[in-house]
Amino acid sequence: MNVNYTELIKKVKGTTVPKPLSGTLSGHAAGEPFDKHVYNEIKKQFPKNTFRQYEYLNELYTQNSEVIGYEAREKLFKSPSVHFLLARGKEVTNKWSSENQFDEKQNDTADVLVVLDNFYKIIDIKTRNLSKSAQPPNIISAFKLAQVCAKMIDNKEFDNFSINYFEIDWELEKNKLICRDAHFASLFKCNPNNLYINWAAAMQLQFHVNDLDQDFEGNREVWAKTYLKHFVTQAKKRANDMITKFVKPFEKYINL
Amino acid sequence: MNVNYTELIKKVKGTTVPKPLSGTLSGHAAGEPFDKHVYNEIKKQFPKNTFRQYEYLNELYTQNSEVIGYEAREKLFKSPSVHFLLARGKEVTNKWSSENQFDEKQNDTADVLVVLDNFYKIIDIKTRNLSKSAQPPNIISAFKLAQVCAKMIDNKEFDNFSINYFEIDWELEKNKLICRDAHFASLFKCNPNNLYINWAAAMQLQFHVNDLDQDFEGNREVWAKTYLKHFVTQAKKRANDMITKFVKPFEKYINL
């Protein structure tokens, strides 16, 4: 059972959201309201299985109200990798109760979550102002992804979740933002060796969804190992670059 | 001739700016309009010598309209260090003309510039929401500061500019933001060894102005060398930490 992305793209094309009252149209915030269109359309496809990340957590903990505390609630996930990606921190999870549920949080991993037969489809929505040639947006922490890959290998979990990106291309038309096009890409279908890590920007992977290749042919285990090799190589390179750029040129001043 | 900061603090305390119409009160943007109060008060002290950074550049290039192009305009500064801190990039400086002047730019070094007898007082204004315990704001790129220190040493320029920070502490009162307190600190009076560099946040120095020590006793040359030693030590440490944190834990997965 897959989300029908072709259908989804058709449905969101041409939709509009109000122009923000103040603030600039730069940055990625302006197009954010489009994510509710995407959420609504996916929910039409899977009414009982579509969640906001915080909604899913609230529902999981509510349905298991006898399970209390971080460690016990961790086991509700069955998958350590999925738990790592979706759960909130230890302190807030300990404090969770039916009267003290989670709210939406800016840096949650998933904007939309589709949970079907213990398979978690994580969908993150990126919006793009077609009138500007902005740098690619932050996608996910490269370190967090490395930790997930290590967990996948440790626990031999190669078939219980996917990470997907959905790009909304919009432009300003009169007093509205209008969606001109949309694109979909699956992280585990790209070639990990092409992923760009911006170490100075909180180690974020950065790409435009529309530009992400979908050419990887190996299975999930090969993907995880290939990514880890890439991550380690890039981390070593960054460490070396730091010496070249930030240490060497200044050494002569230190012992004058 | 010094800016009278005691007087300035007295004048801005109790001033208000309108609450932003939309957006959150988090982040540093909300309090930004306070900087016009600070600018106006400093301008009262030095009416002919107080500028916005872009205003100063426009005035300097206008008064020397026969000097054209980046390299020639660079010489107008007399000081390579000050030029490095205040000038715009090569391309836009080449394109500057009286019909095509500079506008304000978010990441200019100085919010306010006081130029007196070829001495440049660079003043950056930081605002702080007293109702939140936010992490310290970005101050300046640690790398940029290292480059400035190297230029100061190369050119023996130890007495032609200062970098100063002015903090506005505000809170929401009805529909206004009100300034409750204000603080001043001079970068070259702090102990460079205490400066925190956030490598993952664009290598920014981060501190609350109110928390910056003002205990450094050495002269500017000693400050520059002490800072460079600190910067190089921290860069080496970060490079090592990257290996420990991002390489070692993942090596075992690579050659499975």
Side-chain angles (χ1 to χ4, degrees), chain A residues 51-64 73 76-77 82-83 85-89 92-93 96 101-103 105 108 113 115 120:
Chain A
F51 308 88
R52 299 283 184 178
Q53 181 170 338
Y54 75 99
E55 277 179 353
Y56 179 76
L57 296 173
N58 286 336
E59 186 154 325
L60 182 68
Y61 298 160
T62 300
Q63 285 178 351
N64 298 276
R73 284 178 176 145
L76 293 173
F77 278 86
V82 171
H83 175 263
L85 282 169
L86 299 183
R88 295 278 171 88
V92 293
T93 301
W96 187 95
Q101 303 205 5
F102 294 140
D103 281 327
K105 207 177 136 202
D108 278 339
L113 193 60
V115 185
Y120 294 77

Side-chain angles (χ1 to χ4, degrees), chain A residues 105-119:
Chain A
K105 207 177 136 202
Q106 181 68 45
N107 65 345
D108 278 339
T109 306
D111 288 320
V112 182
L113 193 60
V114 179
V115 185
L116 276 168
D117 306 327
N118 280 318
F119 191 97

Side-chain angles (χ1 to χ4, degrees), chain A residues 22 143 146 150 153-154 199-203 225 228-229 231-232 236 238-239 242 245-247 250 253-254 256, chain B residues 22 143 146 150 154 199-203 225 228-229 231-232 236 238-239 242 245-247 250 253-254 256:
Chain A
S22 79
F143 178 46
I153 296 168
D154 286 341
W199 291 97
M203 304 185 288
K225 288 178 185 169
L228 284 172
K229 198 163 188 171
F231 178 76
V232 163
K236 280 184 189 165
R238 172 67 177 175
M242 286 189 69
K245 194 166 178 193
F246 306 134
V247 174
F250 300 112
Y253 297 102
I254 291 175
L256 293 177
Chain B
S22 79
F143 178 46
D154 287 340
W199 292 98
M203 304 185 288
K225 288 177 185 170
L228 284 172
K229 198 162 189 171
F231 178 76
V232 163
K236 279 184 190 167
R238 172 68 178 175
M242 286 188 70
K245 194 168 176 190
F246 305 134
V247 174
F250 300 111
Y253 298 102
I254 291 176
L256 293 180

Side-chain angles (χ1 to χ4, degrees), chain B residues 7-250:
Chain B
E7 184 68 14
L8 183 58
I9 290 169
K10 224 183 281 176
K11 288 286 171 79
V12 298
K13 257 197 221 183
T15 60
T16 61
V17 300
K19 185 189 163 188
L21 281 176
S22 79
T24 58
L25 287 177
S26 67
H28 306 293
E32 215 172 78
F34 277 112
D35 83 344
K36 69 170 184 282
H37 288 311
V38 180
Y39 173 80
N40 289 338
E41 289 302 329
I42 296 175
K43 204 165 173 80
K44 280 182 199 164
Q45 294 185 22
F46 299 100
K48 293 184 178 159
N49 311 86
T50 303
F51 308 88
R52 299 282 185 179
Q53 182 170 337
Y54 76 99
E55 276 179 355
Y56 178 76
L57 296 174
N58 286 336
E59 186 153 327
L60 182 68
Y61 299 161
T62 301
Q63 285 178 352
N64 298 276
S65 55
E66 75 289 358
V67 176
I68 287 170
Y70 182 81
E71 281 79 11
R73 284 178 177 143
E74 180 171 2
K75 295 204 181 76
L76 293 173
F77 278 87
K78 297 181 187 87
S79 156
S81 311
V82 172
H83 175 264
F84 178 77
L85 282 169
L86 299 183
R88 295 278 170 89
K90 194 164 181 170
E91 200 182 334
V92 292
T93 302
N94 276 325
K95 283 187 185 156
W96 187 95
S97 73
S98 53
E99 293 80 39
N100 184 30
Q101 304 205 4
F102 294 140
D103 281 328
E104 186 132 36
K105 206 176 137 205
Q106 181 67 46
N107 64 345
D108 278 340
T109 308
D111 288 319
V112 182
L113 194 60
V114 180
V115 186
L116 275 168
D117 307 325
N118 281 318
F119 190 97
Y120 295 76
K121 298 175 203 289
I122 292 168
I123 304 167
D124 203 17
I125 299 158
K126 299 289 162 189
T127 62
R128 181 177 188 176
N129 181 348
L130 286 177
S131 315
K132 306 216 172 187
S133 58
Q135 70 165 11
N138 290 345
I139 295 291
I140 189 174
S141 158
F143 178 46
K144 189 174 181 182
L145 185 57
Q147 292 172 293
V148 174
C149 286
K151 274 185 206 302
M152 286 162 63
I153 296 167
D154 287 340
N155 297 288
K156 296 193 172 33
E157 296 188 286
F158 302 115
D159 199 25
N160 54 356
F161 74 99
S162 61
I163 302 179
N164 308 282
Y165 295 94
F166 194 78
E167 175 184 314
I168 299 269
D169 298 337
W170 59 269
E171 57 186 4
L172 182 64
E173 193 181 72
K174 288 170 195 164
N175 286 315
K176 291 177 196 161
L177 312 186
I178 182 162
C179 169
R180 292 286 181 214
D181 205 351
H183 308 278
F184 164 77
S186 169
L187 185 62
F188 297 133
K189 285 187 186 154
C190 82
N191 182 343
N193 292 313
N194 298 335
L195 290 171
Y196 170 68
I197 302 168
N198 191 334
W199 292 98
M203 304 185 288
Q204 289 280 314
L205 295 184
Q206 295 181 329
F207 56 73
H208 287 299
V209 176
N210 193 25
D211 299 336
L212 191 69
D213 77 86
Q214 296 283 275
D215 300 336
F216 194 73
E217 309 247 308
N219 65 23
R220 189 68 55 89
E221 185 173 2
V222 180
W223 198 95
K225 288 177 185 170
T226 309
Y227 175 77
L228 284 172
K229 198 162 189 171
H230 176 62
F231 178 76
V232 163
T233 306
Q234 294 299 312
K236 279 184 190 167
K237 184 175 177 306
R238 172 68 178 175
N240 282 329
D241 288 350
M242 286 188 70
I243 301 301
T244 308
K245 194 168 176 190
F246 305 134
V247 174
K248 294 287 174 215
F250 300 111

Side-chain angles (χ1 to χ4, degrees), chain A:
Chain A
M1 294 260 277
N2 279 313
V3 175
N4 186 335
Y5 286 104
T6 315
E7 184 66 16
L8 183 59
I9 291 169
K10 226 183 280 175
K11 289 285 172 78
V12 299
K13 258 199 218 182
T15 61
T16 61
V17 301
K19 185 188 162 188
L21 280 176
S22 79
T24 58
L25 287 178
S26 67
H28 306 292
E32 215 173 79
F34 276 112
D35 82 345
K36 69 168 183 282
H37 287 312
V38 180
Y39 173 79
N40 288 337
E41 290 303 328
I42 296 175
K43 204 166 171 80
K44 280 182 200 164
Q45 293 185 25
F46 300 99
K48 292 186 179 160
N49 310 87
T50 304
F51 308 88
R52 299 283 184 178
Q53 181 170 338
Y54 75 99
E55 277 179 353
Y56 179 76
L57 296 173
N58 286 336
E59 186 154 325
L60 182 68
Y61 298 160
T62 300
Q63 285 178 351
N64 298 276
S65 56
E66 75 289 358
V67 177
I68 286 169
Y70 182 80
E71 281 79 10
R73 284 178 176 145
E74 181 171 2
K75 295 205 180 76
L76 293 173
F77 278 86
K78 298 183 185 85
S79 156
S81 310
V82 171
H83 175 263
F84 179 76
L85 282 169
L86 299 183
R88 295 278 171 88
K90 194 164 179 169
E91 200 181 334
V92 293
T93 301
N94 276 326
K95 283 186 187 157
W96 187 95
S97 72
S98 53
E99 293 79 40
N100 184 30
Q101 303 205 5
F102 294 140
D103 281 327
E104 186 133 36
K105 207 177 136 202
Q106 181 68 45
N107 65 345
D108 278 339
T109 306
D111 288 320
V112 182
L113 193 60
V114 179
V115 185
L116 276 168
D117 306 327
N118 280 318
F119 191 97
Y120 294 77
K121 298 173 201 290
I122 292 168
I123 304 166
D124 204 17
I125 299 159
K126 299 290 164 190
T127 62
R128 182 176 187 177
N129 181 348
L130 287 176
S131 316
K132 306 218 171 184
S133 57
Q135 72 165 10
N138 291 344
I139 295 290
I140 190 173
S141 158
F143 178 46
K144 189 175 180 181
L145 185 56
Q147 292 171 293
V148 174
C149 287
K151 273 184 207 302
M152 285 162 65
I153 296 168
D154 286 341
N155 298 286
K156 299 193 174 26
E157 296 189 284
F158 302 114
D159 199 26
N160 55 354
F161 74 99
S162 62
I163 302 180
N164 309 281
Y165 295 95
F166 195 79
E167 176 183 312
I168 298 270
D169 297 339
W170 59 267
E171 57 186 3
L172 182 64
E173 193 181 71
K174 290 171 193 163
N175 286 316
K176 290 177 196 163
L177 313 186
I178 182 162
C179 170
R180 292 286 182 215
D181 205 352
H183 308 277
F184 164 77
S186 169
L187 185 61
F188 296 131
K189 285 187 186 154
C190 82
N191 182 342
N193 292 313
N194 297 336
L195 290 170
Y196 171 67
I197 302 168
N198 192 332
W199 291 97
M203 304 185 288
Q204 289 280 315
L205 295 185
Q206 295 181 329
F207 56 73
H208 287 299
V209 176
N210 193 23
D211 299 337
L212 191 67
D213 77 84
Q214 296 282 275
D215 300 337
F216 194 72
E217 308 247 312
N219 65 22
R220 188 68 55 86
E221 185 173 1
V222 179
W223 198 96
K225 288 178 185 169
T226 309
Y227 175 76
L228 284 172
K229 198 163 188 171
H230 176 62
F231 178 76
V232 163
T233 306
Q234 294 299 312
K236 280 184 189 165
K237 184 175 177 306
R238 172 67 177 175
N240 281 330
D241 288 350
M242 286 189 69
I243 301 301
T244 308
K245 194 166 178 193
F246 306 134
V247 174
K248 295 287 175 214
F250 300 112
E251 276 180 330
K252 65 175 171 176
Y253 297 102
I254 291 175
N255 294 310
L256 293 177

